[in-house]
């Protein structure tokens, strides 16, 4: 009788430990960014692709945009390397707010970029959804030939983030950068509930297997 009570108490300890481990795993899933969903907002496909002038440190292409989510992970742009003759320097993408405060600065070697293909820049910035921000493109340390930025008619691009487009300080009417925005979405109550139920289910299942093994061991020892 005493052995049975001790075994029952031990099984309770095992299941309690399994429950705590399950909760810990659920919290890990909830608070780990890599387990959160991502979403890409992409401009519409169109053959109407135009080019800015050369991107230099004084002649920049600037897109005014309104982020739709708080965590902006990446921005993708299209550039043109002029038949791959633009090879020197780095293409710099800078994200800044309406006060001119930088939120992110990203650089890629020009010679590593492809012409007329999506090139992703890691931004990893926390912005305020619904407020005005900007991202600029410029070539730092470029040579005589610099890449250009690809943009499209605003009425065809149909991307909710983009507002106005500028080059060399001047507004280009009805223009929108060929770009994409990748966001990390906030955790929802539904997702958190699923994580908790999933982790607790497997934790308690593992605890039950351990308890069964303890019972089998106890029966063999009692023979």
């Amino acid at each position: 009788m005493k052995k049975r009570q001790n075994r029952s108490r031990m099984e309770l300890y095992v299941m309690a430990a399994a429950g705590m481990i399950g909760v810990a795993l659920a919290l890990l899933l909830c608070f780990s960014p890599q387990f959160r969903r991502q979403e890409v907002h992409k401009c519409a496909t169109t053959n109407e692709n135009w080019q800015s002038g050369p991107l230099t440190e004084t002649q920049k292409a600037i897109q005014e945009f309104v982020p739709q989510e708080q965590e902006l992970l990446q921005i993708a742009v299209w550039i043109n390397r002029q038949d791959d003759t633009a090879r020197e320097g780095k293409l710099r993408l800078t994200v800044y707010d309406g006060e001119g405060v930088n939120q992110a600065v990203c650089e890629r070697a020009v010679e590593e970029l492809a012409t007329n293909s999506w090139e992703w820049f890691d931004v990893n910035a926390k912005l305020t959804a619904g407020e005005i921000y900007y991202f600029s493109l410029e070539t730092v340390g470029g040579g005589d030939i610099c890449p250009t930025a690809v943009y499209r008619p605003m009425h065809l691009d149909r991307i909710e983030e983009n507002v106005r487009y500028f080059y060399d300080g001047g507004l280009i009417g009805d223009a929108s950068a060929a770009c994409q925005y990748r966001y990390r979405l906030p955790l929802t109550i539904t997702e958190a509930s699923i994580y908790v139920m999933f982790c607790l289910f497997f934790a308690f299942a593992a605890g039950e297997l351990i308890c069964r093994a303890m019972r089998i061991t106890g029966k063999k020892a009692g023979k």
Side-chain angles (χ1 to χ4, degrees):
M1 185 68 177
K2 188 174 181 180
K3 288 183 178 180
R4 184 176 300 173
Q5 290 177 345
N6 290 338
R7 188 160 58 243
S8 298
R9 188 180 297 112
M10 186 60 68
E11 289 179 5
L12 285 175
Y13 291 154
V14 169
M15 296 306 289
M20 288 189 290
I21 292 173
V23 171
L25 289 175
L27 291 174
L28 178 63
L29 290 177
C30 290
F31 290 102
S32 295
Q34 59 267 32
F35 293 107
R36 301 233 306 274
R37 290 185 300 120
Q38 297 181 11
E39 185 173 88
V40 175
H41 292 190
K42 180 180 180 180
C43 60
T45 301
T46 173
N47 292 324
E48 296 290 336
N49 292 325
W50 302 330
Q51 296 182 50
S52 69
L55 300 174
T56 69
E57 294 182 61
T58 57
Q59 296 172 298
K60 304 178 184 181
I62 299 174
Q63 177 64 62
E64 182 180 36
F65 72 100
V66 179
Q68 302 301 299
E69 301 290 343
Q70 183 179 14
E71 292 189 59
L72 180 59
L73 298 181
Q74 294 177 307
I75 294 177
V77 295
W78 274 41
I79 58 99
N80 191 304
R81 287 180 54 204
Q82 309 305 308
D83 296 324
D84 294 335
T85 56
R87 298 189 180 92
E88 298 180 42
K90 294 182 178 181
L91 185 67
R92 176 182 292 168
L93 184 148
T94 304
V95 178
Y96 55 95
D97 61 21
E99 302 297 324
V101 178
N102 287 353
Q103 305 297 310
V105 179
C106 321
E107 293 182 348
R108 298 273 305 279
V110 170
E111 62 181 357
E112 295 177 357
L113 303 177
T115 288
N116 293 335
S117 178
W118 292 117
E119 292 290 350
W120 290 94
F121 288 77
D122 295 326
V123 176
N124 294 316
K126 287 193 175 182
L127 309 179
T128 302
E131 291 195 358
I132 292 289
Y133 290 87
Y134 303 84
F135 75 79
S136 63
L137 292 169
E138 62 183 299
T139 304
V140 180
D144 294 332
I145 302 177
C146 291
T148 61
V150 174
Y151 65 95
R152 297 162 173 179
M154 173 69 81
H155 66 279
L156 296 178
D157 222 15
R158 298 192 302 277
I159 183 168
E160 55 189 342
E161 278 84 356
N162 289 356
V163 187
R164 295 181 297 173
Y165 190 72
F166 304 86
Y167 173 71
D168 193 21
L171 173 67
I172 302 178
D174 189 37
S176 174
C179 62
Q180 300 184 54
Y181 301 88
R182 185 188 302 277
Y183 300 101
R184 178 181 287 123
L185 302 182
L187 184 72
T188 65
I189 295 177
T190 300
E191 290 171 335
S193 300
I194 290 173
Y195 287 154
V196 171
M197 289 187 293
F198 176 85
C199 292
L200 286 177
F201 173 80
F202 283 98
F204 283 131
E208 178 61 25
L209 289 176
I210 294 173
C211 290
R212 287 184 183 181
M214 291 170 55
R215 293 188 202 111
I216 294 171
T217 303
K219 288 180 180 179
K220 290 181 179 180
K223 289 184 179 179

